[in-house]
Amino acid sequence: MSRRNVASQLLARFQLKAADGKLYLMLILPISLVFITCCGSQPNRKAWQQHSTLANASPLKTKIEKPENIIFPLDAGVLNVKTQYKAKGDGVTDDTAAIQAALNAFPNGQRIIYLPNGTYLVSGTLSWPAGTPGTGNDYKNTILQGQSQKGAVIKLKNRAAGFTDASAPKAVIFTGPAPAQRFGNSIRNLTVDTGVGNTGAIGIQFNASNQGSMRQVTIQSGDRQGVNGLDMSFTDEIGPLLIKSVTVKGFQHGIRTGFSVNSQTLEDVTLHNQTVYGLYNTGQIVTIRSLTSTNTVTGIYNASGRVTVLDSSFVGVGAAATKPAIKSDVPLGLVARNVTTSGYQAAIQDATVTLADPALTEFVPGRVNSLFKSPAQTLNLPIKETPDVPWDNPLTTPWANVTSYGAVPNDGKDDTAAIQAAIDSGKTTVYLPVGNYDLQKTVFVRNRARRIIGTEASVQVPNTVNPGFKVVDGVHPVVVIERIQSGYDSTPTIENASSRTLVIRDATNVSGNMTGSGDVFIENVVSNPSQSWTFNAQNVWARQFNVENEGTHITNKGGNLWILGLKTERGGTLIETRGGKTELLGGLAYTTTGGPGGTQSAPMFINHESSVSITLGEVNFGAPSYPIYVREIRSGVTRDLANSSLQNYIGTGKQFTLYTGYQRN
């Protein structure tokens, strides 16, 4: 009997396996589990040289790849391309039509298109569903999910028709055009291989709006040929979005970014063997942490826009000896911190200066804006990596399905008791199959529950409920709430009232009021235009954080708030810090309206007896301008940083190359 026939028989047997009366998607081969961001302007005297070593500088971390085994219960609403759409994944059969059929099945359906491990040969572009014209269901809320990054491979046929002309490039995966309506699009845990002889190939043209992510993905070319590995410059209004744990091998450009809105955040990215640039930016606000580039070419080229890069490493090989590791043509467009280089002629070639130091602590061009005597460098708060909890195998460690406890999606009736019962069942993973659920009371996250996963479900939390989910004391030290959407009500969706660590990830229209002592991690999260966020003395780390209400967007009362990539809309105070510490690294303030009442009377930022540093660009195409960008109160004295003290950015918007307002400890 052939190995393929053995595997087929094993698959047939495994599909009949069950636990607790439910069928589950199962692995063919055993794979281990994965454990699924009145002084005016002060001259910066050290702008053109390396700053002295900072006490809290974040060390460069070594990337450790974790094996994944992402399996969902069969009743979660996940679409399996093999069992439901007859894809083979054998590396021989053309699976283009089968995968496209799965993608087309539920336009704007908040569905996970699931690829069990295998090699899926394709001969054309896999496109997110266009849906029905005029209905607003086009190219959004679609998730392509592999079982594992190395095991689930989408491979383009060698010398595929339409992919061989570099002057007319074509994508293997396309997730939608402008405008900024591509909500929730994500790609996770898989590899895209553009094969051999496809010199016109683009690995992925990725577009997501407000909330969307690419996680644990490899994009590779079999012969280093191809135009762009990850293309986020093919249309306007891409982002905000999060790219995390992504590797690109080959292509002219590993990553291509462009246009002036809506910001892109990258963390834990690896670039290898590009032929023109590792990352090429032509206008976007890009925030990068933990990038590792090994190349004969320049690792980052910022032709226009703003780039903030920290905790990154650039290894030059061969011809790199005549090039800079990082190049920026924009006079105020680059901020770099904790960057190491080797094999390059220079670490940074800025618009006005070249720095050769292979161990750069901090680089800030131009002037640092301060209102009181402050260090001319970023606050440099300690950084923690986002924790996770084990991804339970649903056969050996069954998940609690809220519908098994009485929840009925889409019926408009209260599901509070059923969701609470699922959490209190003793299961460590609680899931909401795709659909819409209603809460009329607060659900308490307690006991053994450590992962609340929506499988892209929606939870409606009316204004009479505050909060929707409340994390209280329980068995496990870390709780993850992820892959959920909520509606347009104003009360907080989530509260951490415990000492436990809370992770909120890949969530739309949610907000938080944190009252406990536990750490909070926020990744790829957007709140609705009626919601704000409040932190009370917690340590908070946020990566790709999108807050869009009028008035005060974020309040930090006595905590440590670190943000990698903030995007805002509308007017009012973006962050008010009272007695705390706030560090914003890479922000896009998209000023689309005034504040409450249509005026812009409130400062963009308030530093009230606190420690704050900010790098940010503002885009404003006609909304009321801020007269005051920062109001700082120190020892009872109030000073304002006025509009006229800042450099222009896009439209009538301004930019902070760096603002600092703190005293050295």
Side-chain angles (χ1 to χ4, degrees):
M1 183 180 293
S2 71
R3 292 182 179 181
R4 185 174 301 161
N5 289 337
V6 170
S8 298
Q9 290 195 7
L10 284 172
L11 177 59
R13 292 211 316 264
F14 278 32
Q15 287 172 340
L16 295 176
K17 299 280 270 184
D20 290 352
K22 300 183 182 70
L23 293 176
Y24 294 92
L25 304 174
M26 293 304 300
L27 284 171
I28 298 173
L29 298 174
I31 299 177
S32 57
L33 297 173
V34 66
F35 287 64
I36 299 255
T37 188
C38 156
C39 289
S41 298
Q42 171 185 325
N44 179 8
R45 297 178 181 177
K46 295 185 179 180
W48 313 125
Q49 61 185 4
Q50 177 188 353
H51 289 307
S52 59
T53 302
L54 305 180
N56 293 326
S58 302
L60 295 178
K61 65 188 183 71
T62 301
K63 182 176 179 180
I64 300 176
E65 292 190 3
K66 300 176 181 179
E68 311 111 88
N69 182 20
I70 309 302
I71 309 171
F72 295 90
L74 192 62
D75 57 4
V78 173
L79 305 181
N80 188 318
V81 300
K82 281 189 175 181
T83 62
Q84 294 171 262
Y85 293 90
K86 309 307 179 185
K88 298 299 183 183
D90 57 10
V92 177
T93 305
D94 189 334
D95 286 321
T96 311
I99 299 173
Q100 190 63 56
L103 288 166
N104 289 344
F106 293 93
N108 192 24
Q110 298 170 224
R111 291 302 184 109
I112 297 171
I113 314 303
Y114 181 75
L115 282 70
N117 284 342
T119 298
Y120 299 85
L121 196 65
V122 297
S123 56
T125 299
L126 299 173
S127 177
W128 261 223
T132 303
T135 62
N137 64 2
D138 50 334
Y139 303 106
K140 66 179 68 169
N141 287 317
T142 300
I143 296 87
L144 191 62
Q145 170 77 65
Q147 183 176 333
S148 67
Q149 183 172 359
K150 291 185 177 180
V153 180
I154 296 173
K155 186 178 187 303
L156 181 64
K157 287 185 177 180
N158 295 337
R159 292 169 286 280
F163 291 88
T164 60
D165 184 358
S167 66
K170 186 176 180 181
V172 177
I173 296 177
F174 172 74
T175 71
Q181 296 290 310
R182 310 301 162 226
F183 309 135
N185 290 339
S186 295
I187 301 175
R188 304 177 180 129
N189 306 90
L190 54 80
T191 290
V192 174
D193 187 331
T194 60
V196 173
N198 294 309
T199 56
I202 295 171
I204 302 175
Q205 288 186 318
F206 187 62
N207 190 357
S209 306
N210 292 346
Q211 185 270 98
S213 65
M214 183 178 294
R215 296 178 180 274
Q216 290 175 287
V217 169
T218 296
I219 307 169
Q220 62 190 25
S221 167
D223 56 4
R224 296 184 61 183
Q225 300 301 307
V227 180
N228 302 317
L230 171 57
D231 186 358
M232 297 184 291
S233 69
F234 62 94
T235 190
D236 198 2
E237 300 185 305
I238 294 178
L241 52 80
L242 176 66
I243 306 298
K244 185 163 184 177
S245 301
V246 169
T247 296
V248 185
K249 302 175 182 179
F251 305 95
Q252 293 178 27
H253 307 109
I255 300 175
R256 182 83 185 261
T257 56
F259 295 94
S260 59
V261 291
N262 277 307
S263 82
Q264 294 155 11
T265 303
L266 289 70
E267 188 174 33
D268 189 23
V269 170
T270 302
L271 302 176
H272 285 303
N273 294 330
Q274 281 72 57
T275 60
V276 181
Y277 297 113
L279 185 151
Y280 181 29
N281 181 43
T282 57
Q284 190 60 261
I285 289 180
V286 184
T287 307
I288 305 166
R289 177 173 179 263
S290 192
L291 181 146
T292 301
S293 171
T294 304
N295 267 301
T296 60
V297 299
T298 292
I300 296 176
Y301 177 30
N302 182 40
S304 63
R306 290 183 54 83
V307 171
T308 300
V309 57
L310 63 151
D311 301 345
S312 295
S313 174
F314 299 82
V315 177
V317 181
T322 64
K323 299 177 174 68
I326 303 173
K327 179 182 179 182
S328 178
D329 292 344
V330 186
L332 301 174
L334 174 68
V335 173
R337 189 179 80 191
N338 194 24
V339 170
T340 64
T341 65
S342 63
Y344 281 99
Q345 185 181 52
I348 290 177
Q349 181 181 309
D350 186 63
T352 57
V353 69
T354 298
L355 301 178
D357 200 318
L360 190 70
T361 302
E362 185 159 306
F363 169 76
V364 179
R367 300 188 299 176
V368 174
N369 296 103
S370 295
L371 292 164
F372 295 86
K373 184 178 180 181
S374 299
Q377 51 199 208
T378 56
L379 187 56
N380 205 23
L381 292 177
I383 302 171
K384 282 189 177 181
E385 308 305 324
T386 304
D388 211 336
V389 299
W391 186 275
D392 292 327
N393 182 321
L395 180 65
T396 59
T397 309
W399 299 12
N401 183 344
V402 298
T403 66
S404 297
Y405 297 86
V408 180
N410 308 314
D411 69 348
K413 296 180 180 180
D414 185 15
D415 295 304
T416 307
I419 296 173
Q420 189 66 68
I423 287 173
D424 292 340
S425 68
K427 305 292 196 303
T428 51
T429 298
V430 176
Y431 69 109
L432 288 73
V434 65
N436 191 53
Y437 301 83
D438 290 84
L439 297 184
Q440 296 298 324
K441 296 179 182 178
T442 295
V443 170
F444 295 90
V445 181
R446 58 196 181 194
N447 299 334
R448 290 178 52 79
R450 65 187 180 191
R451 188 190 300 277
I452 313 298
I453 183 167
T455 58
E456 317 305 331
S458 293
V459 180
Q460 300 303 313
V461 183
N463 290 329
T464 56
V465 178
N466 182 0
F469 292 90
K470 189 170 186 174
V471 179
V472 296
D473 290 340
V475 173
H476 298 284
V478 178
V479 173
V480 177
I481 299 177
E482 63 180 332
R483 306 194 193 199
I484 64 170
Q485 298 191 20
S486 193
Y488 286 84
D489 297 288
S490 61
T491 51
T493 321
I494 301 169
E495 176 184 348
N496 187 5
S498 74
S499 60
R500 298 204 279 172
T501 295
L502 170 64
V503 178
I504 308 171
R505 183 165 57 203
D506 299 325
T508 298
N509 292 339
V510 302
S511 67
N513 175 31
M514 305 303 161
T515 60
S517 61
D519 291 347
V520 178
F521 293 83
I522 296 168
E523 280 198 356
N524 187 35
V525 170
V526 58
S527 50
N528 72 51
S530 299
Q531 294 176 325
S532 60
W533 288 75
T534 303
F535 305 109
N536 297 280
Q538 294 86 21
N539 296 315
V540 182
W541 291 269
R543 288 130 162 121
Q544 204 299 84
F545 194 20
N546 185 14
V547 190
E548 298 192 355
N549 61 296
E550 287 185 359
T552 301
H553 292 46
I554 301 168
T555 303
N556 175 14
K557 300 177 181 178
N560 296 316
L561 172 60
W562 179 86
I563 304 177
L564 184 79
L566 174 73
K567 187 261 184 176
T568 65
E569 287 191 24
R570 299 175 178 82
T573 297
L574 304 185
I575 305 177
E576 179 175 357
T577 308
R578 304 183 68 87
K581 297 179 179 180
T582 297
E583 181 174 23
L584 170 56
L585 294 158
L588 167 61
Y590 195 8
T591 305
T592 56
T593 71
T599 68
Q600 210 67 278
S601 56
M604 182 180 280
F605 295 93
I606 297 176
N607 178 354
H608 191 108
E609 308 289 357
S610 299
S611 298
V612 176
S613 69
I614 301 164
T615 71
L616 174 139
E618 180 196 14
V619 175
N620 186 335
F621 294 123
S625 296
Y626 285 89
I628 300 169
Y629 277 76
V630 179
R631 175 163 292 160
E632 183 174 349
I633 301 97
R634 186 184 293 189
S635 301
V637 178
T638 299
R639 294 175 180 170
D640 290 338
L641 181 63
N643 181 305
S644 58
S645 299
L646 295 171
Q647 297 86 3
N648 294 330
Y649 190 55
I650 303 294
T652 59
K654 300 292 184 175
Q655 61 180 314
F656 297 99
T657 304
L658 177 63
Y659 157 79
T660 65
Y662 67 96
Q663 294 175 298
R664 194 184 301 278
N665 293 332

